[in-house]
C-alpha cells in the first residue's frame, strides 16, 4: 500500500538523511480542531478584509513616491506605471486567492509552502516574513513622528517626552514616539481581531477620504489651470517605454500589503468566498486610487518641477491652496498608522503557525481563551518592534522588507503549479494511529495479493486473448510518468527563471556570456512551460484542501509570469540588501537545524495515501 514513515531513519543515505526538508504537512481540517486544537476567532467579513488590505497597502509612499518616480523615470506617464505594476501584483493576488481559499489557516505563504513544497522551504519563507514584518513595522513607526509633528505645527511641536533625541556617545537618534505607537498598536491587537479590524477600517476610511479630496480638489484646480503638467515639452513619454517600465518596478512595492489579507484566513467567517473577494477588492481599490491620484498630481505641476519629498502638498501650494497641505499631512499620518497596524498584524500569526508545527516553542502558539488571539506572540512581536523603532533608524534596512515579500510571492506561485500538477498524494498521520494504519494496510495488501493470484490464473487460461489487460496498472503507470514530467518541468522553470533573470541583470558580465546564459535560461523556462501546457493537470487537485473556492485562471502561464516578475525584482534588490538578508537567513538555518528539525510535529508520523485517511479514522473510532 505504500505507507511510509515520516522520519525515514531506517533507509539511510544522504537523500533520505535530508528527507526532513521535503516532508509536507496536511491542510488543517475540522478534524484537527475537534481534537483539541486552539483556533482563532472567526470574526472577519469582506468589508473588514478590504480595510485590512487597503490599510496595509496604501502607506505614506503614495504621498512621496509619485514625485520621485515622475521626476526620474516616467514623466506624465506615471499612471501607466501604476497600471503595469498593478497588473504584476495581480498575478500574485490570483495565486494567493486560490491558496487562501483552499488552505484557510494562519501562516499565509509559510502555511502554503509547508503543504505544497516542504518543511525546509516553508521555514525559510516563515523566517524571512518574520524579518519583513518586524523591520517594516519599525520603519513605518519611525516615519510617523515627524509627520505627526507637522500636523501639530512643526518639528518642535511634540511633547518633550516624545521628541527624537540624539545621543552623541552612541551616535544614534532615539524615537520615543515611534516606540509608544508600536506599543499602543500592540495593545490594540491583543484586544481581539474584531476590535483591531474596526480601528483599521476607521483609519483606512479617513485616509481614503484624504485621497479622494486630492483627486476631487486637484482635478478641479487642474481644469482651471488647463492641466499644465500634460502640456510640457517631451510629450507623455519623455523617458520612453524603458522609463515607464523602470517606474513600474519602483512603484510595484507600493502594492505590497494585500497579502496581509491571507494571513487572517483562519479568522474569516466564510473563507472560500470572502478571502478571494477581499484580496481582489483591496488590490483593485489600491490600483484605482494610485492611478487617479497620480493622474491628477502630474497634471497640476510639470513633472520636472515636482518636489520629490512632498509632491502632493507642494502641488497644491504652487496653486495657492496652502491649507490643503495640512489635510494631506494628516492623510500621511493616517496612512502610516494604518500601515503600522497592518505590519504588526500578520507576524504573531506566523509565529503561532510555526509553533503549532513544532518549529518554534509552543509558547508562541498559545491562543487567549477570551480574546481568541495569540496574545503572547503579539506581545513579544510588539516589544521587539518597539525596541527596534526606539533605538535604530531602519530606513537603510528597508530593502530587506522586499526580500521577504518577493520570496513569498514567488513560492506561492510555485505552490500553485505543484497543487495543479503534482499535488501531495500522501497525508501524515500521527503514530498513535499506527494500529489502525497497519490494519487497513494489511487489508489492502491481502486484497492486492488475492487480485494478483486471480489475475495470474486468468492470464494462464486466456494467454491467447489480447483483450485481457491490466488497465488499472496501466493508468497508474501513466499517472506516475505524468507526475514525473510535471515535477521536472516545474524544476526546469524555476532554474530557467533564476538563470535568465540573473544573467540579464548582471551587466558587468561579458556580453557573450550573458547572451549564452540568457539563452540557456530561456530554453529551460520555455521547455518546462511547453511540457506543462501539453500534459494534463492532476485530477487530485479537485479534492485538495477546502474545495468550492476561487480557482486561479490561465494555468500554467499566470504562475510562471508571476515567478518571472518576482525573481527579476529579487535579483535587482542589490548586493548589500542580499548580504544583510543572508545573515538573517543563516541564523534561521541554525535555529531550524538545532531546534525546528527535531521538534517538528512531522518527526514521528506515518504517511498514508489520502484516499485511505477516512477509513483509517473510522477503524480507529471502531477500535475505541
Amino acid at each position: 500500500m505504500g505507507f511510509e514513515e515520516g522520519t525515514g531513519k531506517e533507509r539511510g543515505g544522504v537523500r533520505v538523511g535530508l528527507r526532513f526538508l521535503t516532508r509536507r504537512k496536511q491542510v488543517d481540517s475540522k478534524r484537527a480542531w475537534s481534537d483539541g486544537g486552539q483556533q482563532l476567532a472567526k470574526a472577519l467579513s469582506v468589508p473588514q478584509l478590504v480595510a485590512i488590505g487597503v490599510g496595509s497597502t496604501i502607506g505614506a509612499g503614495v504621498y512621496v513616491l509619485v514625485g520621485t518616480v515622475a521626476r526620474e523615470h516616467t514623466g506624465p506617464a506615471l499612471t501607466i506605471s501604476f497600471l503595469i505594476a498593478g497588473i504584476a501584483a495581480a498575478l500574485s493576488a490570483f495565486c494567493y486567492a486560490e491558496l487562501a481559499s483552499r488552505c484557510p489557516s494562519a501562516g499565509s505563504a509559510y502555511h502554503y509552502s509547508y503543504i505544497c513544497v516542504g518543511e525546509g522551504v516553508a521555514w525559510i519563507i516563515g523566517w524571512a516574513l518574520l524579518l519583513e514584518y518586524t523591520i517594516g513595522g519599525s520603519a513605518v513607526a519611525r516615519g510617523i513622528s515627524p509627520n505627526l509633528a507637522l500636523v501639530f505645527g512643526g518639528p518642535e511641536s511634540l511633547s518633550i517626552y516624545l521628541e527624537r533625541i540624539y545621543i552623541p556617545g552612541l551616535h544614534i537618534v532615539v524615537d520615543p514616539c515611534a516606540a509608544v505607537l508600536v506599543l499602543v498598536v500592540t495593545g490594540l491587537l491583543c484586544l481581539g481581531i474584531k476590535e483591531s479590524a474596526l480601528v483599521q477600517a476607521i483609519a483606512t476610511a479617513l485616509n481614503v477620504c484624504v485621497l479622494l479630496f486630492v483627486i476631487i480638489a486637484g482635478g478641479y484646480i487642474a481644469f482651471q489651470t488647463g492641466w499644465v503638467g500634460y502640456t510640457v515639452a517631451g510629450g507623455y513619454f519623455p523617458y520612453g517605454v524603458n522609463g515607464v517600465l523602470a517606474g513600474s518596478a519602483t512603484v510595484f512595492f507600493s502594492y505590497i500589503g494585500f497579502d496581509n489579507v491571507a494571513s487572517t484566513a483562519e479568522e474569516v467567517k466564510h473563507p472560500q468566498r470572502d478571502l478571494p473577494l477581499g484580496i481582489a477588492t483591496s488590490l483593485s481599490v489600491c490600483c484605482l486610487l494610485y492611478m487617479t491620484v497620480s493622474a491628477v498630481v502630474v497634471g497640476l505641476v510639470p513633472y520636472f518641477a515636482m518636489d520629490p519629498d512632498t509632491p502632493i502638498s507642494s502641488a497644491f501650494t504652487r496653486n495657492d491652496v496652502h491649507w490643503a497641505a495640512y489635510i494631506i499631512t494628516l492623510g500621511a499620518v493616517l496612512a502610516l498608522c494604518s500601515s503600522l497596524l497592518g505590519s504588526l498584524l500578520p507576524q504573531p500569526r506566523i509565529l503561532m503557525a510555526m509553533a503549532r508545527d513544532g518549529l518554534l516553542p509552543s509558547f508562541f502558539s498559545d491562543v487567549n481563551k477570551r480574546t481568541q488571539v495569540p496574545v503572547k506572540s503579539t506581545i513579544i512581536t510588539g516589544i521587539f518592534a518597539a525596541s527596534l523603532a526606539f533605538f535604530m533608524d531602519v530606513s537603510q534596512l528597508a530593502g530587506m522588507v522586499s526580500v521577504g515579500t518577493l520570496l513569498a510571492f514567488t513560492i506561492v506561485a510555485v505552490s500553485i503549479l505543484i497543487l495543479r500538477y503534482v499535488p501531495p498524494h500522501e497525508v501524515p498521520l500521527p503514530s498513535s494511529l499506527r494500529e489502525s494504519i497497519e490494519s487497513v494496510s494489511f487489508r489492502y495488501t491481502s486484497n492486492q495479493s488475492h487480485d494478483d493470484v486471480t489475475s495470474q490464473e486468468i492470464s494462464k487460461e486466456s494467454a491467447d486473448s489480447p483483450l485481457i489487460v491490466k488497465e488499472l496498472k496501466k493508468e497508474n503507470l501513466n499517472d506516475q510518468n505524468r507526475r514525473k514530467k510535471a515535477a521536472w518541468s516545474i524544476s526546469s522553470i524555476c532554474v530557467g527563471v533564476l538563470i535568465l533573470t540573473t544573467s540579464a541583470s548582471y551587466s558587468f558580465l561579458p556580453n557573450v556570456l550573458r547572451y549564452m546564459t540568457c539563452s540557456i535560461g530561456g530554453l529551460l523556462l520555455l521547455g518546462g512551460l511547453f511540457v506543462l501546457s501539453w500534459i494534463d493537470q492532476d485530477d487530485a487537485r479537485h479534492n485538495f484542501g477546502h474545495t468550492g473556492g476561487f480557482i486561479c485562471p490561465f494555468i500554467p502561464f499566470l504562475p510562471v509570469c508571476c515567478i518571472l516578475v518576482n525573481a527579476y525584482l529579487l535579483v535587482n534588490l542589490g548586493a548589500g540588501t542580499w548580504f544583510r538578508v543572508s545573515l538573517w537567513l543563516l541564523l534561521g538555518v541554525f535555529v531550524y537545524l538545532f531546534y525546528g528539525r527535531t521538534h517538528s510535529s512531522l518527526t514521528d508520523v506515518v504517511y498514508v495515501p489520502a484516499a485511505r485517511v477516512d477509513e483509517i479514522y473510522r477503524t480507529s473510532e471502531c477500535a475505541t
Side-chain angles (χ1 to χ4, degrees):
M1 185 178 169
F3 291 177
E4 185 179 345
E5 294 289 343
T7 56
K9 294 178 181 178
E10 71 278 3
R11 290 181 296 278
V14 175
R15 181 183 66 85
V16 176
L18 297 177
R19 190 178 182 83
F20 59 86
L21 295 175
T22 59
R23 54 193 179 193
R24 298 184 285 192
K25 71 173 185 176
Q26 182 185 8
V27 178
D28 293 335
S29 62
K30 293 181 179 179
R31 181 182 288 116
W33 302 123
S34 64
D35 291 340
Q38 292 179 307
Q39 192 173 14
L40 303 179
K42 288 188 174 294
L44 300 179
S45 57
V46 174
Q48 293 162 318
L49 292 175
V50 173
I52 292 173
V54 175
S56 302
T57 304
I58 299 183
V62 67
Y63 295 94
V64 179
L65 205 59
V66 292
T68 303
V69 176
R71 284 171 59 95
E72 298 179 1
H73 298 293
T74 66
L78 177 61
T79 305
I80 306 298
S81 290
F82 272 113
L83 176 61
I84 295 173
I87 294 173
L91 300 178
S92 296
F94 278 120
C95 299
Y96 264 96
E98 175 168 350
L99 287 172
S101 60
R102 284 183 180 269
C103 314
S105 185
S108 188
Y110 158 78
H111 181 62
Y112 312 146
S113 56
Y114 205 162
I115 293 170
C116 296
V117 185
E119 187 174 283
V121 172
W123 171 266
I124 292 296
I125 296 298
W127 193 253
L129 288 176
L130 294 179
L131 177 70
E132 171 201 341
Y133 291 126
T134 301
I135 293 181
S138 301
V140 169
R142 294 278 297 200
I144 293 178
S145 53
N147 285 279
L148 191 62
L150 291 176
V151 172
F152 289 104
E156 306 297 330
S157 60
L158 289 179
S159 168
I160 190 173
Y161 301 105
L162 297 178
E163 286 184 356
R164 289 184 174 180
I165 303 172
Y166 175 72
I167 302 179
L170 300 176
H171 300 289
I172 61 174
V173 178
V174 297
D175 193 337
C177 182
V180 169
L181 287 170
V182 171
L183 294 177
V184 169
V185 171
T186 301
L188 174 63
L189 292 173
C190 291
L191 293 178
I193 186 63
K194 194 172 183 178
E195 292 77 8
S196 305
L198 176 61
V199 175
Q200 178 84 305
I202 295 172
T204 302
L206 292 174
N207 182 31
V208 170
C209 288
V210 172
L211 293 178
L212 290 177
F213 165 79
V214 171
I215 294 169
I216 296 172
Y220 176 78
I221 296 171
F223 275 113
Q224 296 293 321
T225 57
W227 296 92
V228 295
Y230 292 108
T231 60
V232 296
Y236 192 68
F237 297 96
Y239 296 98
V241 176
N242 290 334
V244 173
L245 295 177
S248 300
T250 302
V251 302
F252 174 83
F253 297 103
S254 63
Y255 286 96
I256 291 176
F258 70 86
D259 52 313
N260 287 1
V261 176
S263 68
T264 64
E266 193 175 309
E267 296 156 286
V268 179
K269 295 178 181 178
H270 306 288
Q272 279 71 42
R273 181 196 66 188
D274 294 352
L275 280 169
L277 281 175
I279 292 173
T281 305
S282 59
L283 185 61
S284 300
V285 169
C286 292
C287 185
L288 182 61
L289 287 173
Y290 284 151
M291 291 177 63
T292 313
V293 168
S294 62
V296 169
V297 173
V298 297
L300 285 172
V301 180
Y303 69 92
F304 49 80
M306 281 187 174
D307 188 325
D309 297 321
T310 56
I312 299 179
S313 58
S314 63
F316 279 87
T317 302
R318 285 173 63 93
N319 287 276
D320 298 325
V321 188
H322 299 278
W323 55 269
Y326 293 100
I327 298 177
I328 295 167
T329 304
L330 178 62
V333 172
L334 290 169
L336 283 167
C337 291
S338 184
S339 182
L340 175 60
L341 184 58
S343 296
L344 296 180
L345 175 66
Q347 184 172 351
R349 284 145 183 83
I350 294 176
L351 281 171
M352 182 190 69
M354 298 175 76
R356 279 177 177 174
D357 298 326
L359 303 183
L360 289 175
S362 59
F363 170 87
F364 295 104
S365 64
D366 288 344
V367 176
N368 186 275
K369 293 182 180 180
R370 186 177 62 86
T371 61
Q372 289 187 276
V373 296
V375 172
K376 293 180 181 179
S377 297
T378 304
I379 292 174
I380 294 296
T381 298
I383 292 175
F384 189 75
S387 302
L388 198 61
F390 181 78
F391 288 107
M392 186 176 183
D393 183 5
V394 293
S395 58
Q396 66 269 25
L397 306 179
M400 299 172 71
V401 175
S402 303
V403 173
T405 300
L406 293 175
L407 282 176
F409 284 4
T410 304
I411 207 63
V412 165
V414 173
S415 297
I416 284 289
L417 293 177
I418 293 174
L419 186 156
R420 293 300 189 90
Y421 291 96
V422 281
H425 60 281
E426 292 180 332
V427 173
L429 294 182
S431 57
S432 59
L433 298 175
R434 186 178 299 275
E435 292 185 4
S436 300
I437 293 171
E438 291 176 351
S439 174
V440 175
S441 177
F442 177 76
R443 187 185 312 159
Y444 278 91
T445 303
S446 300
N447 292 338
Q448 184 178 5
S449 301
H450 180 268
D451 293 341
D452 291 341
V453 172
T454 304
S455 62
Q456 289 176 5
E457 293 175 354
I458 295 175
S459 298
K460 291 178 181 178
E461 294 176 1
S462 310
D464 297 331
S465 176
L467 299 178
I468 301 177
V469 294
K470 298 179 179 179
E471 292 292 339
L472 184 59
K473 290 187 176 181
K474 183 179 179 180
E475 290 179 4
N476 290 338
L477 182 61
N478 290 337
D479 186 62
Q480 291 177 5
N481 290 333
R482 186 201 56 77
R483 289 178 66 92
K484 288 181 180 178
K485 291 178 182 178
W488 279 107
S489 299
I490 294 172
S491 301
S492 175
I493 288 172
C494 294
V495 173
V497 165
L498 181 61
I499 295 175
L500 179 62
T501 54
T502 303
S503 55
S505 301
Y506 289 172
S507 56
F508 60 85
L509 294 175
N511 288 335
V512 175
L513 181 61
R514 289 183 66 193
Y515 294 147
M516 184 174 65
T517 52
C518 282
S519 300
I520 294 173
L523 289 174
L524 288 173
L525 170 60
L526 293 176
L529 183 59
F530 173 77
V531 174
L532 289 184
S533 305
W534 174 59
I535 64 177
D536 294 328
Q537 297 182 36
D538 199 297
D539 291 335
R541 72 187 187 278
H542 298 299
N543 301 318
F544 181 85
H546 299 248
T547 58
F550 177 81
I551 300 298
C552 182
F554 308 118
I555 302 294
F557 301 101
L558 189 148
V560 171
C561 290
C562 179
I563 295 170
L564 185 61
V565 169
N566 293 315
Y568 177 78
L569 294 173
L570 273 170
V571 170
N572 285 276
L573 285 177
T577 296
W578 272 109
F579 176 76
R580 290 188 288 267
V581 171
S582 298
L583 294 178
W584 173 255
L585 295 181
L586 183 62
L587 174 62
V589 169
F590 283 110
V591 174
Y592 174 71
L593 291 177
F594 289 104
Y595 184 88
R597 178 179 63 87
T598 56
H599 290 78
S600 171
S601 59
L602 300 183
T603 53
D604 189 22
V605 297
V606 180
Y607 285 89
V608 303
R612 309 293 178 229
V613 173
D614 291 335
E615 184 176 356
I616 290 171
Y617 274 104
R618 284 197 302 268
T619 304
S620 175
E621 292 171 359
C622 293
T624 56

